[in-house]
Each structure stands twice: as structure tokens, then as C-alpha cells.
Amino acid sequence: MARVSAGSKFAEGEIRVFEIDGINVSVAAAGGRLYAFDDACTHMGCSLGEGKLEGTTVTCPCHGSQFDVTSGAIIRGPAQRPVRSRSVEVEGGDLLVES
């Protein structure tokens, strides 16, 4: 687990992007929980952190692919592959994400 932030307070529907080992990872707040997933859409590499989060679905701002933030699964294309889902924990106020 990589410590990505000293703060773990997220507003519902908020997405923040962190760099872990040279890869951008999004952390999203949905349903009172935090979810982490690779930031690059598997279609054309656009930032999912710049997309729109509704419930547990993030929509890519470039071509509209949708992913389930709880698992990384594709909900709607044009993406053909899921995004990598990562475990996320809050420990003593620090935000830790799987590297």
C-alpha cells in the first residue's frame, strides 16, 4: 500500500487523482466509501478523474465509456477492457492505495 495523502476527507461524488509508481490512480467517493482504480480509460487513455461520477459509475469525458468504480468493470463502451481496481484504506487519517 502506498500513502498517497495525509487527508482522507472526500465529498460524495468527488474524484481525486494521485500518482503511484508513475501511474495515475483515481480515488472516488461513492456511497460513503472510497474506491481506487487506474485513472486512464482503457479506450484512449483519457483521465477518468476528469469524468463525471454518478453513484458508482464514472463516465470518461472523452468518448463516454462508463466503468463501475467498485470493480473497474465496463458498463458501457467504446472501451473493451475494464480498468484496474485497487484496494484503498484509511489509516489514522492517511489515505493508502494499493500500488
Side-chain angles (χ1 to χ4, degrees), residues 28-75:
R33 297 192 55 196
L34 294 177
Y35 299 95
F37 48 94
D38 284 359
D39 182 58
C41 177
T42 57
H43 176 239
M44 297 287 288
C46 293
S47 172
L48 295 174
E50 295 176 14
K52 184 174 184 180
L53 182 63
E54 293 180 279
T56 58
T57 301
V58 64
T59 302
C60 179
C62 293
H63 301 105
S65 291
Q66 292 182 325
F67 300 91
D68 182 337
V69 300
T70 69
S71 65
I74 300 169
I75 294 171

